[in-house]
mmCIF file of all heavy atoms in Angstrom:
data_model
loop_
_atom_site.group_PDB
_atom_site.id
_atom_site.type_symbol
_atom_site.label_atom_id
_atom_site.label_comp_id
_atom_site.label_asym_id
_atom_site.label_seq_id
_atom_site.Cartn_x
_atom_site.Cartn_y
_atom_site.Cartn_z
ATOM 1 N N GLY C 374 14.437 -3.027 -6.718
ATOM 2 C CA GLY C 374 15.182 -1.997 -6.022
ATOM 3 C C GLY C 374 14.319 -1.003 -5.282
ATOM 4 O O GLY C 374 14.752 0.117 -5.017
ATOM 5 N N GLY C 375 13.075 -1.380 -4.947
ATOM 6 C CA GLY C 375 12.270 -0.533 -4.070
ATOM 7 C C GLY C 375 11.744 0.721 -4.685
ATOM 8 O O GLY C 375 11.491 1.697 -3.994
ATOM 9 N N GLY C 376 11.583 0.766 -6.010
ATOM 10 C CA GLY C 376 10.978 1.939 -6.636
ATOM 11 C C GLY C 376 11.937 3.048 -6.959
ATOM 12 O O GLY C 376 11.525 4.199 -7.102
ATOM 13 N N LEU C 377 13.219 2.742 -7.098
ATOM 14 C CA LEU C 377 14.193 3.806 -7.371
ATOM 15 C C LEU C 377 13.945 4.498 -8.695
ATOM 16 O O LEU C 377 14.188 5.696 -8.832
ATOM 17 C CB LEU C 377 15.608 3.220 -7.350
ATOM 18 C CG LEU C 377 16.102 2.708 -5.995
ATOM 19 C CD1 LEU C 377 17.483 2.103 -6.130
ATOM 20 C CD2 LEU C 377 16.122 3.826 -4.963
ATOM 21 N N ILE C 378 13.437 3.742 -9.686
ATOM 22 C CA ILE C 378 13.164 4.363 -10.976
ATOM 23 C C ILE C 378 12.059 5.399 -10.847
ATOM 24 O O ILE C 378 12.124 6.493 -11.403
ATOM 25 C CB ILE C 378 12.767 3.294 -12.029
ATOM 26 C CG1 ILE C 378 13.900 2.275 -12.195
ATOM 27 C CG2 ILE C 378 12.438 3.950 -13.362
ATOM 28 C CD1 ILE C 378 15.195 2.884 -12.680
ATOM 29 N N GLY C 379 11.010 5.053 -10.105
ATOM 30 C CA GLY C 379 9.912 6.003 -9.880
ATOM 31 C C GLY C 379 10.391 7.250 -9.166
ATOM 32 O O GLY C 379 9.928 8.358 -9.463
ATOM 33 N N GLU C 380 11.319 7.080 -8.234
ATOM 34 C CA GLU C 380 11.846 8.252 -7.510
ATOM 35 C C GLU C 380 12.709 9.120 -8.405
ATOM 36 O O GLU C 380 12.671 10.352 -8.325
ATOM 37 C CB GLU C 380 12.612 7.761 -6.273
ATOM 38 C CG GLU C 380 11.665 7.372 -5.140
ATOM 39 C CD GLU C 380 12.051 6.075 -4.447
ATOM 40 O OE1 GLU C 380 13.190 5.606 -4.649
ATOM 41 O OE2 GLU C 380 11.198 5.533 -3.724
ATOM 42 N N MET C 381 13.468 8.490 -9.304
ATOM 43 C CA MET C 381 14.212 9.280 -10.291
ATOM 44 C C MET C 381 13.262 10.025 -11.222
ATOM 45 O O MET C 381 13.537 11.141 -11.646
ATOM 46 C CB MET C 381 15.131 8.349 -11.098
ATOM 47 C CG MET C 381 16.374 7.931 -10.345
ATOM 48 S SD MET C 381 17.581 7.122 -11.428
ATOM 49 C CE MET C 381 16.803 5.538 -11.634
ATOM 50 N N PHE C 382 12.143 9.385 -11.514
ATOM 51 C CA PHE C 382 11.126 10.008 -12.349
ATOM 52 C C PHE C 382 10.626 11.306 -11.699
ATOM 53 O O PHE C 382 10.509 12.343 -12.359
ATOM 54 C CB PHE C 382 9.970 8.998 -12.512
ATOM 55 C CG PHE C 382 8.913 9.419 -13.499
ATOM 56 C CD1 PHE C 382 9.242 10.016 -14.695
ATOM 57 C CD2 PHE C 382 7.565 9.188 -13.226
ATOM 58 C CE1 PHE C 382 8.264 10.381 -15.607
ATOM 59 C CE2 PHE C 382 6.580 9.536 -14.123
ATOM 60 C CZ PHE C 382 6.925 10.141 -15.311
ATOM 61 N N ILE C 383 10.360 11.256 -10.412
ATOM 62 C CA ILE C 383 9.911 12.446 -9.674
ATOM 63 C C ILE C 383 10.984 13.534 -9.725
ATOM 64 O O ILE C 383 10.708 14.702 -10.011
ATOM 65 C CB ILE C 383 9.580 12.089 -8.215
ATOM 66 C CG1 ILE C 383 8.313 11.224 -8.145
ATOM 67 C CG2 ILE C 383 9.393 13.356 -7.366
ATOM 68 C CD1 ILE C 383 8.022 10.658 -6.775
ATOM 69 N N VAL C 384 12.228 13.135 -9.446
ATOM 70 C CA VAL C 384 13.326 14.103 -9.402
ATOM 71 C C VAL C 384 13.513 14.800 -10.748
ATOM 72 O O VAL C 384 13.633 16.027 -10.830
ATOM 73 C CB VAL C 384 14.630 13.411 -8.949
ATOM 74 C CG1 VAL C 384 15.830 14.359 -9.131
ATOM 75 C CG2 VAL C 384 14.537 12.970 -7.493
ATOM 76 N N THR C 385 13.506 14.010 -11.831
ATOM 77 C CA THR C 385 13.770 14.601 -13.138
ATOM 78 C C THR C 385 12.610 15.427 -13.653
ATOM 79 O O THR C 385 12.804 16.488 -14.251
ATOM 80 C CB THR C 385 14.096 13.492 -14.175
ATOM 81 O OG1 THR C 385 13.047 12.521 -14.196
ATOM 82 C CG2 THR C 385 15.392 12.795 -13.817
ATOM 83 N N MET C 386 11.373 14.960 -13.425
ATOM 84 C CA MET C 386 10.219 15.694 -13.943
ATOM 85 C C MET C 386 10.055 17.056 -13.292
ATOM 86 O O MET C 386 9.638 18.018 -13.928
ATOM 87 C CB MET C 386 8.938 14.874 -13.751
ATOM 88 C CG MET C 386 8.738 13.794 -14.800
ATOM 89 S SD MET C 386 8.629 14.450 -16.492
ATOM 90 C CE MET C 386 7.189 15.497 -16.353
ATOM 91 N N TYR C 387 10.393 17.153 -12.005
ATOM 92 C CA TYR C 387 10.251 18.443 -11.322
ATOM 93 C C TYR C 387 11.497 19.304 -11.415
ATOM 94 O O TYR C 387 11.497 20.442 -10.958
ATOM 95 C CB TYR C 387 9.880 18.220 -9.853
ATOM 96 C CG TYR C 387 8.402 18.023 -9.639
ATOM 97 C CD1 TYR C 387 7.885 16.765 -9.353
ATOM 98 C CD2 TYR C 387 7.515 19.083 -9.733
ATOM 99 C CE1 TYR C 387 6.525 16.561 -9.165
ATOM 100 C CE2 TYR C 387 6.160 18.894 -9.547
ATOM 101 C CZ TYR C 387 5.667 17.648 -9.267
ATOM 102 O OH TYR C 387 4.325 17.462 -9.090
#
Side-chain angles (χ1 to χ4, degrees):
L377 294 177
I378 300 299
E380 282 136 15
M381 283 191 285
F382 187 41
I383 291 172
V384 170
T385 55
M386 280 300 299
Y387 276 106

